[in-house]
Amino acid sequence: MADRQLNVLSTLDHAKTQWYHFTAIVIAGMGFFTDAYDLFCISLVTKLLGRIYYTDVSKPDPGTLPPSVLAAVNGVALCGTLAGQLFFGWLGDKLGRKSVYGFTLILMVLCSVASGLSFGRTPKGVVATLCFFRFWLGFGIGGDYPLSATIMSEYANKRTRGAFIAAVFAMQGFGILFGAIVALAVSAGFRHAYPAPPYAQDRAASLAPQADYVWRIILMFGTLPAALTYYWRMKMPETARYTALVARNAKQAAADMSRVLNTEIEEESNGAGKTAAVVLAGDEWGLFSSEFVRRHGLHLVATTSTWFLLDIAFYSQNLFQKDIFSKVGWIPPARTMNAIEEVFRISRAQALIALCGTIPGYWFTVAFIDVVGRFWIQITGFAMMTAFMLGLAVPYHHWTTPGHHAGFVVMYGFTFFFANFGPNSTTFIVPAEIYPARLRSTCHGISAAAGKAGAIVGAFGFLYAAQDPHKPEAGYPRGIGIRNALFVLAGTNLLGTVMTLLVPESKGKSLEVVSQEVADDEEAA
């Protein structure tokens, strides 16, 4: 262990909240804003894609994407995100946070545009091209997870670090809402300019040829916020912790932070020309060493397992979303609408869910995480999600009868609220705090990739599992039904509650203390 913390790191830990903190939140947060927009906007247009490319006017209902195609369109970006989290997490520790940060943004901008320009002479050709570009879009998005979290944690002071990282992640909620608003605006404009009858009234005329532009515009619109923040990302200095502890240039770190904090920071040098009091713990062992297993093995089990379990439940909630929207009248049967009208209705429903359940949960975390702590927010979130899942599952038949749909919507909204005021936020925050600087981005990437593996299981495994055991949807095998799937998800959340017991509390501690690079606050002082 080092005898004390570097001056520049101690200064960062005790710095007052100032303008550069908010600048960093906006710069990193706009990346997450774009990530959420790009990942979730595809769900707004999948129905439209099915109508455009798979409608058979001889059938009583408009076309939908076949199960395998739907899985590919929705899942390919998640697969790309998983790969990007592992690759860019590792690269962020090897090359530095800043040098990799701009590349992920460029990749997202280019692939968002390319997704909207997907071409092909046949439906399979268009879908294949779309999937190709959305994989690489997801690859860029994946890089933003470990890099944004690590940059924000290494810039922040220890008193409000949790709130700053949570604020970056909370931009996801605004990205989801913005995606719904863009889809609302685009579909409303096209609906007004190109009116069409419902499918049941005139099957061929219900699909205006201009509808093909709607989904392309929605997908490409995600490039704007990303492109606007590129210049500011490139102006950010490398984090002081990477420069001092990984690149071993504490004098440069002090100079960078002196400019940022508008204060003079000096680091002394010893006779050998090296900076004195550099934190040495962990310099001799790597990720696959027994020393890492001893110090952080249980931590890695905790951050990967809880993120994996959370995302199974979080991404599987779309299982009953369409049922809720239909039963409360937000989305009528597809045959009673034209193609563009359906996009408008779906977007409006998504905007309501984002406003009422998603965004409030994120900002409750921002407000309370440095008061309550990461551990208690996460364990309470998992426990409440378990309770509300059981509240949906046990009296499921009661909720599906007429007159009780409003209660189902409220319960459903609370599961989203406690996911975001709970493990959906804390699983992002904790891995950015508890690992050594030289492995921080890598371990965050591994934890995030475990989460995306859970997302893939939740989004697709449960989509098949939740099919009615007697009358599954066309193209799907028989499943265990939604009620039994909800019981499984309740069990998943309960297991997440148990695994949270392995998560260390990092509230109010220096990163060097919580990652065991110095022994305690007295030693770091």
Side-chain angles (χ1 to χ4, degrees), residues 48 179-196 211 214-215 217-218 338-348:
L48 179 59
I181 291 172
V182 169
L184 267 173
V186 173
S187 57
F190 274 79
R191 185 179 64 167
H192 176 74
Y194 307 103
V214 172
W215 69 271
I217 293 171
I218 292 171
N338 63 51
I340 299 175
E341 174 73 17
E342 188 172 33
V343 176
F344 181 84
R345 296 293 188 103
I346 292 171
S347 303
R348 187 174 62 181

Side-chain angles (χ1 to χ4, degrees), residues 327 391-402 404-405 408 483:
K327 287 173 181 176
L392 289 171
V394 174
Y396 180 73
H397 297 299
H398 166 78
W399 295 124
T400 56
T401 56
H404 301 108
H405 301 323
F408 194 97
R483 184 170 186 264

Side-chain angles (χ1 to χ4, degrees), residues 155-173:
Y155 266 131
N157 61 55
K158 64 181 182 180
R159 183 176 59 85
T160 57
R161 185 179 61 237
F164 290 162
I165 306 173
V168 170
F169 192 64
M171 294 300 287
Q172 270 200 344

Side-chain angles (χ1 to χ4, degrees), residues 280-300:
L280 296 174
D283 194 41
E284 70 281 2
W285 46 265
L287 180 66
F288 299 104
S289 65
S290 58
E291 186 67 14
F292 176 86
V293 173
R294 185 181 71 83
R295 291 174 182 242
H296 298 290
L298 283 179
H299 295 164
L300 193 60

